[in-house]
Every structure is written in structure tokens, then in C-alpha cells.
Amino acid sequence: MAKRREVMAGMAALPLVAWAAGALAPAFAQEAGTLDGDRLATSGGDVIIHPVSHASLVLGYDDQVIYVDPVGGAELYAELPAPTAVLITHGHGDHFDVPTLEAIAGGGIPILTTQEVFDKLPEALKANATALANGDEGSLNGLPVAAIPAYNTSPDRLQYHPQGVGNGYLIKFGDDIVYVAGDTEPTPEMLALENIAVAFLPMNLPYTMTPEQAAEAVNTFKPGIVYPYHHRGSDLDAFEAAVEEGVEVRRANWYPEGEEAA
């Protein structure tokens, strides 16, 4: 049974300052800001969970601001604190966008990603990037990160996310682990996970999981909290109804401009 960790409902705010001007400043000048979102109470302090859009999110922790799969243009992030680090799960356009990265993550921001994405980065970003293979461990500014395989398992979907290419990530905040699955179906590696405080799981066909597959996975590895994300066009009611007691389903606003059914 997974450990259950407290996530506070509603909106909490974590005041965070943007990078100072100079060598560490991103190319896109973001203002000092406040990161709003749900709060996960951990042994090391609160984690702020801020959905951005579809598969993009920001995690705030102490003085760290981690951008996960930032895409959509720098303007989408203009009112958020600048990143201190970036995670990228794989090379599809709804997870990886070079112009967005160049604008928000220039000037020495560390990037953890896959070999596929690393090979596509321009030299200025590649200098501060590290490629993790499935199963590798690394860190972002001292926060432990592990790369979990993310891939399709259904025969008619194998071409979308082949095994060995994409990563999900386990990020450890204090004693608590946040799992960002990336684009994947239920895999043996996912189903074997334990002690996950918060999980972000995708569900949309034909690329990732059905709501029923996602619920079955949740019922197996039992995170304390699950956020369905990357779910455009999926039946979240069916997903939530199939999740067993003991796991809290959190719905966030991943499609703020009414594009969920697109």
C-alpha cells in the first residue's frame, strides 16, 4: 500500500523570485512572481503543483522551480517564476519545443531529458543538459530524480512511443516522491512503483492509455494522489469511477481555454 501524503485542497501560494539578471538569467525576462497551486506537504517543505497546459506543469519547492515539458511559447510562462531546472520526457511536440526552451531556459538552467531530446538540442542548451536512459538516476539542483521507462504496450500503439526512448520521472522532495509518467501505457516498471505521493498519468487514444487502463494502473501501484493529465477528449468521470478507495483523484485545469475536446 502506498504511503498517503497530505495534499491541501484549493490554491496555496509559494512566493518565489525569478533569477537575478546576469549569467543565470533566462533569455525571456520573467518577473518575480508567486507560484499558485495545490500544496503537497512533505518532510522537506511544501511542493506547489501548478498545471500549465496539457502535459506541461511547474513544481515549486523551497527555492526550486522545476518546469516539466514546457511548450507553447514563452508568453505562456511570462507570469510565472523563472525555472531553476527543466525536465523533458520525450521529443514529441506537445512535450518538447526548442524555441520555448531557448526563451525560458537559457543561461545555464540545468535540463534533464532523454537521449533523443538531448541530440536535438542546440549547443547552447546542450551544454547544460544531461541525458538519462531508462533506469538511470540523476539530480536537479540536489533533488534526486530517477528515469522510469515510458512506452506503449498495446500492439496497435507501439509506433507512438517505442520502448527505450521516453522517460517518466520520479522526483524526490524530502521523503515524498512525485511521479510524472510522460506518454506511456501501464508498464511493468510503472505497476511495480511503491510509495508514490502524487502521480501524473496520461490518458488519450491512440497515444497513451484509456481511462480504464489508467485506473487499473492506479489501483495497482496506489499513489496517494493522482492527477489525470494529457487527457484531451478522455472520459475523466469513467476514470475516477474506476479508481478504488484510498487514492484521491485530483482534476486540474489543463485546458484553460476550452480546448479539452479538441
Side-chain angles (χ1 to χ4, degrees), residues 213-226:
Q213 280 181 298
E216 183 177 355
V218 166
N219 293 338
T220 300
F221 75 89
K222 296 188 182 300
I225 313 292
V226 61

Side-chain angles (χ1 to χ4, degrees), residues 17-219:
V17 296
W19 286 92
L24 294 180
F28 186 76
Q30 292 167 291
E31 299 295 331
T34 298
L35 189 67
D36 294 322
D38 291 349
R39 185 178 69 222
L40 169 67
T42 81
S43 63
D46 292 344
V47 176
I48 302 301
I49 297 167
H50 181 91
V52 177
S53 178
H54 186 55
S56 301
L57 64 144
V58 177
L59 299 172
Y61 179 73
D62 193 20
D63 60 351
Q64 300 299 308
V65 185
I66 301 172
Y67 281 30
V68 182
D69 286 348
V71 300
E75 293 77 9
L76 193 61
Y77 303 87
E79 297 182 2
L80 299 178
T84 60
V86 173
L87 277 174
I88 305 171
T89 61
H90 65 293
H92 287 174
D94 56 340
H95 298 259
F96 169 57
D97 178 61
V98 168
T100 300
L101 288 172
E102 289 179 322
I104 65 176
I109 305 300
I111 298 171
L112 282 185
T113 187
T114 64
Q115 189 66 50
E116 172 204 28
V117 169
F118 182 89
D119 292 341
K120 295 176 181 179
L121 290 172
E123 291 303 317
L125 292 177
K126 189 177 290 186
N128 299 296
T130 301
L132 294 182
N134 290 170
D136 281 355
E137 297 182 355
S139 68
L140 282 176
N141 296 330
L143 293 175
V145 177
I148 301 299
Y151 57 95
N152 286 107
T153 57
S154 296
D156 61 342
R157 302 178 212 165
L158 297 179
Q159 72 271 28
Y160 297 116
H161 303 98
Q163 188 170 0
V165 177
N167 286 336
Y169 294 104
L170 302 177
I171 313 148
K172 192 170 184 180
F173 300 98
D175 292 332
D176 293 273
I177 299 172
V178 172
Y179 172 45
V180 180
D183 280 7
T184 187
E185 291 184 72
T187 65
E189 296 87 353
M190 175 195 292
L191 299 178
L193 293 174
E194 297 180 340
N195 299 332
I196 303 299
V198 177
F200 296 87
L201 291 189
M203 54 196 79
N204 69 324
L205 292 180
Y207 307 106
T208 62
M209 299 185 253
T210 66
E212 292 76 17
Q213 280 181 298
E216 183 177 355
V218 166
N219 293 338

